Amino acid sequence: MTISKEQSEEKLTLKLEGRLDTTTAPQLETELKNSLEGVKELILDFSDLAYISSAGLRVLLGAQKQMNKQGSMKICHVNEMIMEVFDVTGFADILTIE
């Protein structure tokens, strides 16, 4: 998985490309831990994300909990397959998806 990062003041955008699974979830988790301080708006761009596993969902849940304390988190450009995973798992109700 490739993570592209764009930060301006209190807004952080992470664009994910590839697969967010057991192998790559720790990479995203580390990136979030190192980048969220002082961030009020987190945007995750899934336009090039092909797959998400339960390990990826766990990282998203942790990020959402952190951002609930300090600002907002939004996921955009979600494909049909990942949206179906969000619907089935109930994450569609927890996350802000555009």
Side-chain angles (χ1 to χ4, degrees):
M1 179 180 68
T2 307
I3 301 174
S4 305
K5 182 175 168 180
E6 190 179 305
Q7 190 158 9
S8 60
E9 295 176 26
E10 297 177 335
K11 178 179 176 182
L12 173 65
T13 302
L14 296 178
K15 183 171 184 176
L16 308 184
E17 187 178 331
R19 297 170 57 90
L20 180 52
D21 55 23
T22 310
T23 309
T24 59
Q27 179 187 352
L28 177 59
E29 194 168 31
T30 300
E31 182 64 53
L32 288 166
K33 267 186 194 158
N34 295 336
S35 304
L36 285 184
E37 189 174 322
V39 172
K40 298 268 188 266
E41 183 182 4
L42 173 63
I43 297 171
L44 298 173
D45 184 342
F46 280 15
S47 51
D48 294 322
L49 191 68
Y51 173 82
I52 190 166
S53 73
S54 59
L57 292 174
R58 183 185 56 76
V59 174
L60 291 183
L61 188 59
Q64 182 66 65
K65 285 181 179 176
Q66 177 70 35
M67 290 310 297
N68 283 346
K69 295 175 189 168
Q70 66 188 61
S72 66
M73 179 174 120
K74 179 170 57 177
I75 300 174
C76 58
H77 308 295
V78 177
N79 70 32
E80 283 181 30
M81 189 178 87
I82 293 174
M83 193 64 218
E84 190 173 320
V85 171
F86 287 161
D87 286 334
V88 169
T89 58
F91 272 67
D93 301 326
I94 300 168
L95 304 171
T96 303
I97 303 166
E98 291 187 350

